[in-house]
Amino acid sequence: MSRIPRIVILGAGYGGVVTAIRLQKHLNYNEADVTLVNKHEYHYITTHLHMPAAGTDKPENARVDISKLIDEFKIDFVKSTVAQIRPQDKKVILEDSTLSYDYLVIALGGEPETFGIPGLREHALTIRSLNSVRYIREHIEFQFAKFKQEPQRKDYLTFVVGGAGFTGIEFLGELADRLPKLCREFDVDPALVQIVNVEAAPSALPGFDSELVEYATEALKAKGVVFRLSTAIKECTKEGVILANGEMIKAGTVVWTGGVRGNRLLEDAGFETMRGRAVVDAELRTKEHDHVYVIGDCSIVLSEQGKPYPPTAQISIQQAEACAHNLIATIRNTPLKEFSFTNRGTVASLGKGDAVGVVGKYKVKGYKAAMMKKAIDIRYLFIIGGLPLVVRKGL
Ligand code: FAD
Ligand code: NAD
């Protein structure tokens, strides 16, 4: 290659933005041309989205302009939507142009997994982007306004959350905090409001520490959440959800948090995928093309036991750091590093001032866990934007 190599990064979520920031910091002038492509001119902090979705925080607090995170003298930012990835030609087709690359980083995140359940795509809401959570927040308020016009329609005040994984549980905590405030604002009797969680597994947070699951479930029940465990949603309609036993829950709002899959563009590009997530080698490159790296929710990394690691921000950030290292190593012709995941634990919020978590060998719950969650959020803001971003957003 006589000219300087071109690196294109697709997606400015956790994986993409951290890769770009690392490259910007460690590449020397004229070592590579780096382009970052993202649908929006902002990065959204996905791990905050349950709050603006319920309306307990403003969407702006989960939004950071990309121009504040990268140095546009070092990284070209292209605001556009990726339409197709053509690894055979080393090209990416955007909605309005085409980019060529020597090395590609795909960090396009995931999409809601609906398992082919009829009606979910059409009628359920999902927590997946800033725009989707703005919609959920407005939709929830609108149900109260509609109820005031048609007081016989108690179903407007029923809120179903499908799935009690971490997203479902964190959203339930915020929703249970928000609805009493909406009752006061709209002069609605709180006894008329129902929050129902429907979970297919016998317990919430399947696979998580049982003592903490019990704590989380009891804390949410105390705030009014009704759990329907061992109960699968089999259909979603305009009127609500139909359960596996045929029962219907009429609801004005159905939020689906039943799981994620990889971005469909990866399957379309012909990469080997499992639930839309590309299988990568130890250096995070696709099996088919060693100049294509895939990281974050659209990649799959297996643990030593051969089980896929859950898609999290934590693993996305670590992958981004390894990916940036390997891109620089490739350009400098030095050895690549194998990716290895260090699990720093999991903390999930249960609404204001309450959370549960496992950090190392310690279990935490209550206010202490909520403070730990805040510390994790602040650490991330520091990684991407240093102290100025922490001061602007986190304190
Ligand atoms: P994303 O962060 O989703 O970023 C993908 C980017 O690609 C986005 O900017 C998107 O706009 C862009 N994009 C997508 N398609 C296109 C396209 N066609 N063209 C151009 N751009 C495109 N994980 C944790 O570790 N800890 C937590 O506490 C935690 N909390 C969470 C709370 C909630 C409510 C949710 C939903 C998830 C949470 N997660 C958490 C999971 C975590 O957010 C994801 O694993 C993480 O966001 C994945 O990062 P990513 O870079 O792969 O994708
Ligand atoms: P998930 O796959 O972890 O959970 C989905 C839940 O939906 C499961 O409990 C599943 O049994 C249930 N489900 C599936 N089909 C169903 C059906 N038909 N009816 C009823 N229930 C059904 O998905 P998620 O909660 O969106 O999490 C996605 C990823 O993001 C995970 O890796 C998670 O660890 C991560 N995350 C982490 C945090 C945190 O660390 N605080 C917060 C949110 C998400």
Side-chain angles (χ1 to χ4, degrees):
M1 210 180 290
S2 52
R3 54 178 174 74
I4 61 171
R6 273 185 299 231
I7 301 174
V8 172
I9 304 168
L10 305 180
Y14 284 77
V17 112
V18 174
T19 306
I21 288 169
R22 290 278 153 164
L23 290 178
Q24 155 180 303
K25 186 165 175 207
H26 296 292
L27 276 174
N28 295 323
Y29 177 69
N30 257 354
E31 257 190 311
D33 257 341
V34 184
T35 303
L36 175 65
V37 181
N38 196 57
K39 233 185 226 186
H40 315 284
E41 69 275 22
Y42 55 83
H43 163 79
Y44 49 75
I45 302 170
T46 318
T47 55
H48 280 209
L49 289 181
H50 52 291
M51 294 186 272
T56 51
D57 197 5
K58 294 185 208 139
E60 301 89 88
N61 286 344
R63 177 193 194 283
V64 188
D65 285 340
I66 289 170
S67 61
K68 297 233 160 62
L69 300 178
I70 59 164
D71 177 349
E72 290 190 65
F73 286 110
K74 292 185 175 166
I75 308 238
D76 289 324
F77 174 63
V78 176
K79 176 185 170 293
S80 189
T81 299
V82 180
Q84 198 190 9
I85 301 164
R86 298 219 318 238
Q88 309 80 343
D89 311 327
K90 296 196 174 179
K91 284 192 194 313
V92 176
I93 315 298
L94 306 182
E95 60 185 352
D96 39 16
S97 60
T98 298
L99 291 175
S100 299
Y101 61 81
D102 298 302
Y103 301 102
L104 182 67
V105 180
I106 308 178
L108 290 168
E111 21 187 277
E113 172 64 280
T114 57
F115 305 105
I117 297 171
L120 274 182
R121 267 183 198 290
E122 297 80 2
H123 305 297
L125 308 174
T126 53
I127 301 172
R128 59 178 298 200
S129 66
L130 210 56
N131 288 332
S132 84
V133 302
R134 284 181 178 128
Y135 190 91
I136 295 175
R137 186 185 62 158
E138 295 299 322
H139 174 93
I140 291 171
E141 278 207 36
F142 189 45
Q143 299 315 297
F144 280 78
K146 285 205 300 183
F147 174 74
K148 295 308 283 188
Q149 299 293 319
E150 299 171 74
Q152 74 286 3
R153 293 290 305 272
K154 297 206 172 52
D155 53 308
Y156 288 153
L157 298 181
T158 300
F159 299 84
V160 169
V161 177
F166 285 107
T167 305
I169 289 295
E170 290 199 321
F171 177 64
L172 285 164
E174 300 302 318
L175 189 64
D177 283 350
R178 174 78 174 136
L179 295 187
K181 294 191 179 112
L182 287 176
C183 286
R184 284 198 291 279
E185 199 177 308
F186 285 86
D187 300 309
V188 165
D189 176 0
L192 297 173
V193 171
Q194 284 198 68
I195 308 176
V196 185
N197 175 257
V198 183
E199 165 58 52
S203 89
L205 300 177
F208 195 54
D209 178 90
S210 56
E211 185 196 329
L212 296 178
V213 172
E214 168 86 12
Y215 176 90
T217 317
E218 291 308 316
L220 293 174
K221 278 186 189 166
K223 292 195 203 189
V225 176
V226 173
F227 283 94
R228 301 288 306 268
L229 302 173
S230 302
T231 306
I233 289 178
K234 88 167 184 202
E235 193 178 337
C236 185
T237 70
K238 242 180 14 210
E239 280 79 40
V241 290
I242 302 173
L243 309 181
N245 63 8
E247 184 192 338
M248 165 144 206
I249 304 178
K250 285 194 157 204
T253 307
V254 178
V255 177
W256 174 246
T257 60
V260 288
R261 68 182 320 283
N263 193 304
R264 267 167 219 282
L265 289 169
L266 281 101
E267 279 158 347
D268 298 346
F271 298 116
E272 182 188 334
T273 56
M274 286 162 74
R275 267 177 67 179
R277 301 168 67 195
V279 181
V280 289
D281 67 12
E283 287 80 22
L284 303 175
R285 299 168 300 184
T286 62
K287 287 183 160 179
E288 298 84 359
H289 302 277
D290 66 4
H291 54 278
V292 179
Y293 289 79
V294 187
I295 59 173
D297 280 8
C298 57
S299 71
I300 206 156
V301 176
L302 302 179
S303 67
E304 275 169 18
Q305 293 73 37
K307 275 180 64 183
Y309 286 117
T312 60
Q314 188 183 169
I315 195 168
S316 304
I317 295 166
Q318 292 182 30
Q319 285 179 302
E321 287 162 351
C323 171
H325 174 278
N326 284 347
L327 283 165
I328 296 170
T330 306
I331 290 167
R332 294 184 185 160
N333 214 5
T334 57
L336 271 61
K337 212 162 61 179
E338 289 196 355
F339 174 70
S340 142
F341 174 54
T342 308
N343 188 350
R344 302 209 164 90
T346 302
V347 184
S349 92
L350 302 170
K352 196 170 170 56
D354 203 0
V356 283
V358 175
V359 181
K361 39 185 204 284
Y362 302 103
K363 293 184 201 182
V364 281
K365 55 189 182 219
Y367 189 68
K368 200 168 152 194
M371 287 299 100
M372 213 165 253
K373 176 94 179 134
K374 185 90 183 151
I376 296 167
D377 292 347
I378 288 177
R379 180 178 175 268
Y380 177 64
L381 293 174
F382 186 77
I383 290 174
I384 62 168
L387 206 52
L389 187 64
V390 174
V391 172
R392 242 188 15 254
K393 297 269 179 196
L395 298 176

